[in-house]
Amino acid sequence: MIRLIASDLDGTLLLNDTQELLPGTVDLIRKLRRQGRIFVPASGRQHSNLKRLFYPEEDLYYVCENGALTMKGDAILQQHLIERKLGEEIIQAVLQQDGCEVLVSGVHTLYVQPKEPWFAVYLRDVVKNNVTEVEDLLSVEEPYMKISICQKDGIEKTEQMWRRRFEGKAVPMISGNIWLDLMPFGADKGDGIALIQDRLHITKEETMVFGDNFNDLAMFEKARYSFAMEKAHPDVKKACRYTTDMVEKILRDVLDGKYDEGGI
């Protein structure tokens, strides 16, 4: 039986840059949960954002911030942190780099010191995050979990520079066309899924995951049924057993018991 289903959001459950789940998706998840299955949003997004997306479903497990934070409802199960001095070094470097914006993830809000107004507007009004604008990011007292670099015209322009600069200090993780996350060592979506599997005594063979980008690779390793989206990068698809153009199609198959009978 498929007991654990985890899905990425952007580019996976949220297609074509949409910011809302398809009508009926939450109801589909509710029916799967009634069958005794666990559904886990696994995303680079913040916890508050994920809770809003899946409302009114309550008390879900969440793998947030690309695995830097794992939650059960509103309770923190695991949190990875970036050492303060390193975080300050990253923040200062991005603030000095033309064309790049930086955000610092806290548990309940994102902290930003925008160079351009569009950045905070995008995070708050388009993506629907909790956002706190500050005059000086270095004055933020909350511990750093994840520090993200945003380049509006494409992160590929500076990706390799950031990788070289912080090699051996933090884990760089592409999470979208304009985003590079710098993560604490040991923090990824696979780590969050493994924590939930251990907590609930769920095996790899009882697990199904969906994703579309390189930040999903660690999660794929934790599941017998790993699905990449058809529009994913070829290297991402190579890491999966299956592909799909829509997560909901596979979820309906699970609801009907297809994979409980041996699947494909």
Side-chain angles (χ1 to χ4, degrees):
M1 175 179 174
I2 302 298
R3 296 178 58 205
L4 175 61
I5 303 167
S7 181
D8 172 54
L9 272 293
D10 295 282
T12 304
L13 266 179
L14 301 177
L15 297 173
N16 303 315
D17 296 322
T18 184
Q19 299 298 324
E20 299 290 340
L21 296 171
L22 291 173
T25 298
V26 172
D27 186 57
L28 181 56
I29 291 167
R30 182 178 298 117
K31 291 176 181 177
L32 288 164
R33 296 183 73 196
R34 287 174 181 165
Q35 290 184 338
R37 309 180 200 268
I38 306 299
F39 182 84
V40 181
S43 174
R45 293 183 178 226
Q46 66 179 192
H47 174 246
S48 301
N49 183 291
L50 295 175
K51 282 190 66 178
R52 280 192 287 269
L53 277 169
F54 289 91
Y55 182 83
E57 285 298 279
E58 298 287 347
D59 207 31
L60 292 175
Y61 284 90
Y62 302 91
V63 176
C64 320
E65 307 288 356
N66 273 331
L69 181 68
T70 303
M71 307 278 287
K72 175 68 162 67
D74 291 323
I76 297 175
L77 301 182
Q78 181 169 259
Q79 183 181 18
H80 294 273
L81 299 176
I82 292 176
E83 191 270 330
R84 187 83 187 183
K85 184 176 180 181
L86 172 60
E88 292 175 349
E89 180 186 350
I90 295 169
I91 291 166
Q92 289 174 320
V94 183
L95 288 175
Q96 292 167 8
Q97 180 66 37
D98 291 342
C100 290
E101 298 276 3
V102 61
L103 71 79
V104 176
S105 294
V107 174
H108 300 297
T109 191
L110 304 177
Y111 298 96
V112 295
Q113 181 184 333
K115 300 176 187 179
E116 300 290 340
W118 71 267
F119 186 52
V121 171
Y122 172 74
L123 292 170
R124 182 182 59 245
D125 299 336
V126 178
V127 187
K128 309 297 184 184
N129 284 311
N130 290 352
V131 177
T132 301
E133 293 188 56
V134 297
E135 293 185 3
D136 180 9
L137 272 176
L138 299 181
S139 69
V140 171
E141 296 182 357
E142 185 172 357
Y144 305 145
M145 285 193 300
K146 180 187 77 175
I147 300 177
S148 302
I149 303 166
C150 180
Q151 187 154 0
K152 190 177 183 181
D153 59 351
I155 195 63
E156 74 278 357
K157 295 182 182 297
T158 56
E159 175 191 353
Q160 293 306 315
M161 178 192 72
W162 297 121
R163 288 182 180 275
R164 289 191 299 269
R165 178 151 189 178
F166 295 107
E167 183 179 5
K169 296 181 178 181
V171 180
M173 193 175 292
I174 291 289
S175 59
N177 293 331
I178 64 173
W179 292 102
L180 178 70
D181 295 335
L182 293 173
M183 304 286 295
F185 286 101
D188 56 44
K189 291 185 184 182
D191 180 65
I193 296 301
L195 175 70
I196 297 167
Q197 288 173 323
D198 290 345
R199 183 182 175 94
L200 301 177
H201 307 290
I202 294 174
T203 67
K204 178 177 180 177
E205 288 68 31
E206 296 171 316
T207 303
M208 175 180 285
V209 301
F210 300 87
D212 77 308
N213 218 321
F214 292 98
N215 59 333
D216 299 311
L217 294 181
M219 182 169 66
F220 295 154
E221 296 175 359
K222 305 300 179 183
R224 164 66 177 82
Y225 296 96
S226 53
F227 285 83
M229 303 307 291
E230 288 185 352
K231 293 184 178 180
H233 189 283
D235 289 342
V236 175
K237 290 196 283 188
K238 286 179 184 177
C240 287
R241 290 178 179 267
Y242 313 107
T243 60
T244 184
D245 63 346
M246 184 170 289
V247 173
E248 287 85 352
K249 290 181 181 179
I250 309 301
L251 296 185
R252 292 187 186 97
D253 286 341
V254 174
L255 191 64
D256 291 339
K258 176 177 178 180
Y259 292 88
D260 296 336
E261 298 169 1
I264 53 178

